[in-house]
Structure formats: structure tokens, C-alpha cells
Amino acid sequence: MGPTLISSLPLLFAAALCLLPWHPAASALQDVTTELFGSEAWGTVAAFGDFNSDKQTDIFLIRSNNQLIILLADLKTPYFKPMPKVVLQWSELVITNVAPGDYDGDSQMDVLLSLQSKKFNDNTTIVIFWGNNQTLDPNLFTILKHSFLDEPLVLDFNGDMIPDVFGTTKGNTRPQICSLIGR
């Protein structure tokens, strides 16, 4: 029995692909890092959010383990420009997580940082820098009184549109929910 049309379809398809013209420019990747970030293209991307309420996604970076940099989106190159950095006052702590959100319900984006000691495998400390008129004041922050055994989960537990912090705190065996209204 000879080959049938159905069994030779894959071979015909492969032959047709070989006859198509190949355009190397259409399949190449292009490095746009400098165009997007300029000289600010270094650090660890930690989070995304619309920090300055301009309906464009901004990027939150961690640099040197204890610096938070917010790159604001712009319409001109470079498309992400840094706002003044927030440098932590405690050199023995490192930022392990960044969670932007409106933690006090004032329609200003705040930034929650998880911190751990460089020297000790210690608990996680939570610091919230409060947004004020689309800026972050490095002197306007709250340290939660409870330290967490691990990275907490940020979620809106009670449905009030304000993020809550959920995790196991030091001295408790059951997870706790920390609501942050009324700093």
C-alpha cells in the first residue's frame, strides 16, 4: 500500500514552511534597557504599582539591600525616572519584601517593607512608609509592634479595600491579622 494524502500532510506542511521567506529582523530581540531606564537599570525589581496616581505602572526597586527606589513611569525617554530614594536608617537591616498599597485609606499609596537582620536569622519586622501627596517621607513611617516569624501575606481580609497583614507573629502559634487603619 502506498502513502496516502493524509499520512503525507506533515511532510507537505514542513516543505511549505521551508519555502516561506525568512526575515531575521522580524525574529530578533532588541535590548531596550537603556531606552527604558537610562542609567538607573540596576537593582532588584521588588514590586509594581501606580505610586503617583498617573495611571501608569511604576517600578519599586531594592538597591544595596537597604535602599528603596521608586522609578516613576514617564512618556519621554528614559521611560522610568527615579524619585528621591528612601534610605533606611538601620544599616544592620535588609529589605526582603516590598508591598505597595493604601494601608490607611487616605487614597495615597503607602509602601510596606519587610526587614530582616543581616547578622541574625531573626524575625521579620514590618515598616510602613506613609504616602503623602504622592511622595514618601523617609521620616514618616510606622513600625508594627509585632514581628513575624516569616514573610507576612498582604491581603484585604475584611473587604474594606484596605490591605491587612496576615501572618504568624512572635509569641503566637496561630496566624494573626493586623489591620492598619488609624496609624
Side-chain angles (χ1 to χ4, degrees):
M1 234 174 153
T4 64
L5 180 62
I6 293 177
S7 64
S8 63
L9 277 179
L11 183 60
L12 288 173
F13 183 69
L17 283 177
C18 290
L19 295 175
L20 291 175
W22 182 65
H23 298 286
S27 63
L29 296 176
Q30 191 175 12
D31 185 5
V32 294
T33 305
T34 305
E35 186 178 351
L36 289 174
F37 303 105
S39 63
E40 298 296 326
W42 65 282
T44 303
V45 175
F48 299 95
D50 184 9
F51 182 76
N52 56 354
S53 303
D54 63 353
K55 296 188 177 24
Q56 295 186 45
T57 303
D58 304 315
I59 301 174
F60 295 76
L61 296 176
I62 299 171
R63 290 191 183 153
S64 303
N65 292 327
N66 68 346
Q67 293 180 358
L68 173 66
I69 307 293
I70 302 173
L71 298 178
L72 300 176
D74 195 358
L75 297 175
K76 299 175 189 160
T77 58
Y79 293 108
F80 291 96
K81 296 179 176 75
M83 64 180 290
K85 59 187 166 191
V86 176
V87 180
L88 294 179
Q89 301 167 26
W90 312 284
S91 60
E92 70 276 358
L93 296 175
V94 297
I95 300 172
T96 57
N97 192 26
V98 178
D102 183 11
Y103 291 94
D104 57 359
D106 65 353
S107 298
Q108 298 286 317
M109 185 174 282
D110 311 309
V111 180
L112 179 145
L113 301 179
S114 298
L115 306 168
Q116 289 184 341
S117 171
K118 285 182 184 179
K119 297 177 184 175
F120 307 106
N121 190 5
D122 207 9
N123 297 324
T124 301
T125 302
I126 302 298
V127 176
I128 300 173
F129 285 90
W130 301 106
N132 184 18
N133 204 16
Q134 300 172 350
T135 61
L136 275 186
D137 182 351
N139 300 315
L140 185 61
F141 61 89
T142 299
I143 301 173
L144 293 188
K145 63 181 176 181
H146 301 290
S147 61
F148 290 81
L149 298 179
D150 205 350
E151 290 289 332
L153 174 66
V154 176
L155 66 128
D156 181 12
F157 182 76
N158 55 1
D160 63 356
M161 301 298 289
I162 296 174
D164 303 304
V165 181
F166 179 78
T168 306
T169 58
K170 187 175 180 178
N172 290 308
T173 56
R174 296 177 52 174
Q176 305 292 311
I177 298 170
C178 299
S179 185
L180 303 168
I181 298 176
R183 55 179 155 136

